[in-house]
Amino acid sequence: MRNPRQSDIALRLEQLTELSLELGTGHDTNVLLEKILRTAKGMANADGGTLYRVAPDRRSLRFSISVNDTLSMYVGGVGGSANEIPDIPLFNADGSPNMGAIAACAAHTGRSVNIEDVYQADGFNFSGMRQFDQAFGYHSQSFLTVPMQDHEGEVIGVLQLINAKDAGRGAVCPFSETDQRLIEALASQAAIALTNQQLIARLEDLFESFVKLINIGIDEKSPHTGRHCEAVPELTMMLADAVHRTASGPLAGFRMTDADRKQLWLAGLLHDCGKITTPVHVVEKATKLETIFDRIHLVDTRLEVVKRDAEIRALKEKLRHGADSTHHGEINRVLSQELARIDEDRAFLRRANIGSEGMTEDDQRRVADIAARYRWIGPDGNERPLLDEEETANLCIRAGTLNQQEREIINNHISVTIRMLESLPWPKHLRNVPEYAGGHHERMDGNGYPRGLRGDQMSVQARVMAIADIFEALTAKDRPYKKGKTLSESLQILGGFRLRNHIDPDLFDIFIREKVYLEYARRYMDPAQIDEVDESSIPGYVP
């Protein structure tokens, strides 16, 4: 057994310190695992080593990486050959702990196993090792197997070193007690670092799952809004990555790290979280008269009453004239004209009830005329106009289905989103999520909402999300109040937003030039909506 010199111990302590520093700063698990094994191997001057991690179900040890200097072997890890090493079961077929395999024994007991010569040792099954030696012409001798235990004493992996070498002669020798203590210290630090890394990853996964939970709640209230919350982050990342790749123009210096991408992705998922507070009848308002139900059916019923009253008046008029067929014919003619006009007006109101891109002033005046022209007798016996003031105002909505009060309610979702997000104690690497998510209804000219920010007051990411939000809404075909537009129609409208200084012109240019719109269309739009696009005809875009 080696008798380590003071200088040798100092060198190995320095290696341990260096690894500790790397464990505190590294984020790539595979890189860390390889660094742990290679550092342990170097500290113990071992010829080879293997690192196993406990499988998620804690039923086996899963191979991670193996290296051997004599055999020039490098399997698994970051750049090694493909792994063909089977997992080590932690339990036998009868459910009892597997104590025959050294690594499994160390995992079960939480204690290191230091064997001077495996060919002289008893108590373990070395058949696999003997087969390995025969297959590769190798001679395994000394083994040091150390469990990797976290701060709670739970084993998360096993570190196994093989064939310690004498520093002077190079001969294989047993692992010393000093070797064992140092490797145990390394394994403990490594386990805690890996556990912390896993904990951070799990917390991030938990947070993202919580975000998706909010979107599930929104989806239950409004399925199309839930899908919107899924599609906008996808399109946001497509455009942001296109900007990241841009090598010329005003945005050539824009770059994103993985952490930046994570932040923007979360912002995209949360950009409409405030809609969880928006009343369903406003979010889902498919027609102008819809509240909990579409009140156009009430108008239909009233017009049926108006028609009934007209028919009753005609019958009374006929009775007054007795058997005079001449008057009867005239009465029938007038009644027929009146009923036809009622049917025409009803058809018009039905069309007006469907939100469109724009309602003319003539059509608005006709709604008011119809509301005043017809009177009907209600269940209480009182006469009243066909439409009350609120119904008339709703049917005269110029564009879409929302009246001013409802539009304020729907617009308030972004204020709620900002309040919700700004109330959270965001860590440093996610502190911009509220700004990114809360700016997608702002405009370059400063006339957006809720804060009226100008383009130079917004981050590139917020401006990216504004374009993604608009384009997704234009192309979506699941909205109850509109049909999904074709690709070319959507780009024409988006170009209009660019000309009116609503969206960032440089981002709009990249959106078209890099064909982000086409990538999104192929992945998320109905093929029937994807028509031929003439980029030279898109308003505001210069090919």
Side-chain angles (χ1 to χ4, degrees):
M1 186 172 291
R2 295 174 298 181
N3 183 20
R5 298 187 302 272
Q6 194 73 23
S7 59
D8 182 43
I9 294 176
L11 176 61
R12 290 195 279 179
L13 286 173
E14 184 178 345
Q15 290 176 304
L16 181 60
T17 301
E18 290 178 358
L19 177 65
S20 299
L21 293 173
E22 289 196 39
L23 290 174
T25 58
H27 300 290
D28 189 316
T29 299
N30 290 327
V31 172
L32 286 180
L33 290 173
E34 184 160 331
K35 183 66 177 177
I36 290 165
L37 177 62
R38 291 188 180 277
T39 301
K41 176 178 165 295
M43 286 174 60
N45 199 30
D47 188 43
T50 303
L51 192 150
Y52 299 93
R53 297 186 72 184
V54 177
D57 62 2
R58 304 196 67 79
R59 302 290 301 175
S60 63
L61 290 175
R62 187 164 293 172
F63 170 84
S64 289
I65 177 174
S66 183
V67 293
N68 188 289
D69 292 343
T70 299
L71 298 176
S72 299
M73 178 183 290
Y74 176 21
V75 181
V78 178
S81 59
N83 170 35
E84 298 180 359
I85 299 176
D87 294 350
I88 299 175
L90 287 172
F91 297 91
N92 298 315
D94 62 2
S96 61
N98 176 13
M99 305 300 284
I102 304 176
C105 178
H108 280 300
T109 63
R111 294 193 299 270
S112 300
V113 179
N114 191 343
I115 299 177
E116 294 186 8
D117 190 340
V118 292
Y119 281 92
Q120 304 299 321
D122 296 322
F124 296 103
N125 181 0
F126 293 114
S127 59
M129 180 211 68
R130 291 190 177 95
Q131 291 174 3
F132 178 89
D133 284 357
Q134 290 175 2
F136 291 94
Y138 191 69
H139 181 74
S140 301
Q141 185 172 318
S142 55
F143 265 68
L144 176 59
T145 306
V146 179
M148 299 170 62
Q149 296 176 283
D150 63 15
H151 60 291
E152 295 180 341
E154 184 173 277
V155 175
I156 68 165
V158 173
L159 190 59
Q160 192 168 69
L161 301 177
I162 182 172
N163 287 0
K165 290 186 175 181
D166 184 276
R169 297 180 295 111
V172 175
C173 62
F175 290 94
S176 68
E177 184 177 341
T178 302
D179 291 335
Q180 180 175 330
R181 295 296 299 276
L182 286 171
I183 299 306
E184 287 174 342
L186 180 152
S188 177
Q189 289 190 34
I192 292 172
L194 288 171
T195 300
N196 287 339
Q197 189 181 76
Q198 289 175 347
L199 179 60
I200 291 171
R202 287 170 184 167
L203 286 174
E204 289 183 348
D205 288 343
L206 177 63
F207 179 73
E208 187 165 334
S209 297
F210 182 71
V211 169
K212 292 177 180 177
L213 185 69
I214 294 175
N215 288 341
I216 290 173
I218 294 173
D219 188 62
E220 284 297 311
K221 287 182 63 177
S222 170
H224 77 266
T225 304
R227 287 187 288 273
H228 174 76
C229 292
E230 295 172 358
V232 166
E234 297 286 353
L235 181 52
T236 296
M237 298 312 297
M238 288 181 193
L239 179 52
D241 284 337
V243 181
H244 175 84
R245 296 190 301 268
T246 298
S248 61
L251 295 172
F254 178 80
R255 293 294 180 269
M256 291 189 301
T257 64
D258 288 342
D260 294 332
R261 286 184 170 86
K262 182 73 173 181
Q263 189 169 210
L264 183 56
W265 171 254
L266 282 174
L269 289 174
L270 287 164
H271 82 284
D272 268 352
C273 65
K275 282 186 178 177
I276 200 167
T277 67
T278 307
V280 175
H281 72 274
V282 176
V283 176
E284 294 291 307
K285 191 180 182 189
T287 63
K288 295 179 181 180
L289 288 179
E290 184 171 351
T291 51
I292 302 302
F293 64 96
D294 192 348
R295 291 174 294 163
I296 193 67
H297 305 303
L298 294 180
V299 176
D300 283 340
T301 302
R302 294 170 196 166
L303 285 171
E304 285 298 323
V305 172
V306 171
K307 290 174 69 175
R308 179 207 64 187
D309 290 346
E311 290 170 344
I312 291 173
R313 285 196 305 273
L315 289 172
K316 288 181 177 180
E317 185 71 12
K318 287 181 179 180
L319 287 174
R320 192 171 66 82
H321 287 282
D324 188 342
S325 59
T326 303
H327 282 91
H328 285 194
E330 178 64 17
I331 291 169
N332 288 337
R333 185 184 65 79
V334 172
L335 174 62
S336 178
Q337 290 178 344
E338 186 174 1
L339 294 180
R341 183 174 185 180
I342 292 173
D343 287 337
E344 287 177 6
D345 288 339
R346 174 161 58 184
F348 168 75
L349 291 179
R350 285 174 174 170
R351 290 194 303 273
N353 188 43
I354 300 171
S356 62
E357 294 301 326
M359 187 178 193
T360 65
E361 291 184 3
D362 287 342
D363 284 346
Q364 289 174 326
R365 280 192 293 270
R366 184 175 176 184
V367 169
D369 290 343
I370 292 173
R373 180 186 315 129
Y374 297 109
R375 313 284 295 181
W376 70 291
I377 306 299
D380 57 1
N382 294 321
E383 187 180 74
R384 60 190 68 183
L386 178 69
L387 303 172
D388 61 27
E389 291 183 6
E390 187 269 341
E391 291 167 336
T392 302
N394 270 281
L395 284 171
C396 289
I397 293 171
R398 191 187 63 80
T401 63
L402 299 177
N403 59 40
Q404 184 58 36
Q405 182 182 11
E406 292 164 338
R407 194 164 295 281
E408 289 174 1
I409 291 173
I410 203 79
N411 287 352
N412 186 57
H413 83 274
I414 190 62
S415 298
V416 176
T417 293
I418 292 171
R419 289 203 304 274
M420 289 173 65
L421 296 182
E422 289 185 344
S423 70
L424 296 176
W426 294 97
K428 182 178 179 181
H429 67 289
L430 296 176
R431 64 186 175 188
N432 291 321
V433 167
E435 191 265 326
Y436 295 167
H440 65 278
H441 285 301
E442 303 291 353
R443 288 172 21 179
M444 296 295 289
D445 60 7
N447 291 321
Y449 64 92
R451 292 172 170 168
L453 300 176
R454 299 186 310 276
D456 59 0
Q457 295 174 302
M458 293 185 286
S459 64
V460 173
Q461 289 88 338
R463 286 177 269 156
V464 164
M465 199 173 299
I467 291 178
D469 187 74
I470 294 170
F471 192 74
E472 192 283 333
L474 290 171
T475 57
K477 69 170 192 174
D478 60 352
R479 303 297 193 270
Y481 47 82
K482 74 172 194 66
K483 295 179 180 179
K485 298 193 176 298
T486 65
L487 189 57
S488 61
E489 288 173 337
S490 301
L491 291 172
Q492 288 290 318
I493 295 172
L494 193 67
F497 280 107
R498 181 256 181 268
L499 290 178
R500 294 190 294 276
N501 200 26
H502 289 190
I503 61 175
D504 188 309
D506 300 316
L507 290 174
F508 173 76
D509 179 74
I510 294 172
F511 186 78
I512 306 299
R513 176 163 39 87
E514 297 298 321
K515 299 192 180 333
V516 178
Y517 68 88
L518 190 58
E519 179 187 358
Y520 176 81
R522 287 170 174 167
R523 289 176 60 181
Y524 295 102
M525 287 177 63
D526 187 324
Q529 293 177 264
I530 305 175
D531 56 355
E532 191 70 28
V533 173
D534 179 8
E535 292 184 353
S536 64
S537 70
I538 298 175
Y541 177 68
V542 180

